[in-house]
Amino acid sequence: MTLVPALRRASVAAILLLGTSAAQASVAFHITVVTERVNQPGVKTSLPARETQDSDVVLGPHYLSVRDGRILSVFDFATRRRHVIDTAASTYDTYSLFDVVGFRAAELRHRQGLGGMLKAGGLEQHATPRVYEEQALSVLDNKRRGALQPQVLDGAVLWSLDGQPLLRLGIAGSPVSGDDATAFAQYLRYTWGGHPLLLKMLADGKRVPADFTLHYQEVGGTVTRRFRISAMTAGAPATYTLSAYRPRPLAADAPPLERVLAQAALLPPPGPQAPQAHPALRAEAEKLFAADQPFEAFLTMLEDHFSTGALVEKLTPRQQQAMQECQPIHDLTRGLLAKDHEGIAAALATVQELRTQTGMAQPVLALFEGNLRAKLGQWPQATALYLQVLQAKPQMAAVYQDLGDALLAQFDAPNAWRSWDAGRAMAPALRQFRKVNDLERSLLNDYPAFFAGGAPLPPTVQPSTSRPASKTKTVGSTNLP
């Protein structure tokens, strides 16, 4: 299979999407993937024994696009975003590339935990070999691996690791540049997986194979995927634009999470032109102090901090004394410092009582109840409380950090990053976001291959204008077993 100088095959949507302003050309091809599953005896699954998927792929500089039917996914490595476009509706959603590798790393730890429980229960034979977990997720665990071992077959090479067959690679293929080979490896990494050592080998080989098979194992049986590439062409436009599409509008029956994140996207950006919440909240606190309501004033100052990052300014001696003599403040702060399960449960009861006295709509106390429930592992209840706060107080930027944490704990990485991005767009310097900033830096350091092919940009904050992921929570990120 050889490259031809003109683009002969591209979907109508791809033509609409891709521009022509850049000088560097891209590579396009059609790919057919046949998946076959062989389940162990007694295993019941709704997944078909055999299925076929056809896609049109464009490998561009700093991006790649994949069309599956009406859905066109664009992975932009320069901005570290991915766009999932519904070509029939002419709408799109935007997500962070970080959520893909963030989910994969968390999922690997989860699968390792399940494997450990199976071994501890004497069911080691049901545990998936570690190399196949790495194959499915394209991330390595901490165990040192040996080298890939080749076995020459008739017209192909079978590559294995730790005695487990991973890739049957045909000898036919097309030579491409190093950048295009890296982009091809990225296509596999983000859509079908592949062991990181295999993907590096493919990227270093500067070739797009015409025919290859990936092997997987999972708890229920084995999976093989055979890939056939056709209509390999050069000369596709080398850039893209979203101008032909619009962000997906909010549905009338959208759930609270979707409404909260859509509401956040409509808030004005930070800057001189944006309304300043700090003076108004500080003035409200002064009124509450004057009315001998130090606890309510304390909560208002906390709302100010969670919204703007502002620290408490100098209090008058009378205000300091009022706070020192306020028993609810002492009860609240003592409870929030609890570390053990019993102490956290007692603190939760205290906060619930304070909410009853102050009003269930009080946003800071609702936030604190959510945080305590999160410490107890009550993630759905914590999520509901964070959404309650943000529906009433969408400018409380710090709450988006807590909401993102709760969503990630429930394996909803796409919406976790959307929530974090929304909060950081409002108050990028807020100290609560140091945690997610550190997480992104660690993902860049530990899994650099997921970001290969992009311009060398720092992990800057970018506002999100997208809608949440679908019910599967993995739209545009994976077709993995």
Side-chain angles (χ1 to χ4, degrees), residues 22 44 79 95 107 128 144 152 171 181 202 211 216-217 233 253 262 338 341 356 374 383 410 425 432 459 477-478:
K44 295 182 179 180
T79 62
Y95 304 95
E107 177 65 11
T128 303
R144 177 184 288 277
V152 178
I171 60 174
L202 291 173
D211 186 283
Y216 310 82
Q217 281 188 25
T233 61
D253 58 348
H341 186 277
T356 300
T383 300
Q410 298 169 87
Q432 281 83 354
S477 65
T478 180

Side-chain angles (χ1 to χ4, degrees), residues 70-92:
R70 62 184 282 174
I71 301 301
L72 181 63
S73 299
V74 180
F75 300 82
D76 190 326
F77 300 101
T79 62
R80 295 175 185 153
R81 313 295 286 176
R82 75 181 194 280
H83 311 288
V84 181
I85 301 165
D86 185 331
T87 58
S90 296
T91 61
Y92 69 90

Side-chain angles (χ1 to χ4, degrees), residues 313-375:
E313 299 172 2
K314 184 177 180 180
L315 300 174
T316 67
R318 181 177 178 181
Q319 290 171 343
Q320 293 180 35
Q321 182 179 359
M323 291 181 64
Q324 291 170 358
E325 295 175 353
C326 181
Q327 189 59 44
I329 292 179
H330 293 296
D331 293 341
L332 177 62
T333 54
R334 183 173 56 251
L336 294 176
L337 294 174
K339 302 295 183 183
D340 60 280
H341 186 277
E342 181 179 347
I344 296 170
L348 177 59
T350 297
V351 170
Q352 289 174 322
E353 177 62 25
L354 291 171
R355 290 188 69 198
T356 300
Q357 297 171 4
T358 309
M360 299 301 288
Q362 213 296 321
V364 174
L365 291 178
L367 168 62
F368 287 155
E369 180 175 343
N371 290 345
L372 291 168
R373 289 189 178 278
K375 289 182 179 180

Side-chain angles (χ1 to χ4, degrees), residues 9 25 76 120 338 392 417:
R9 184 184 182 98
D76 190 326
W417 254 271

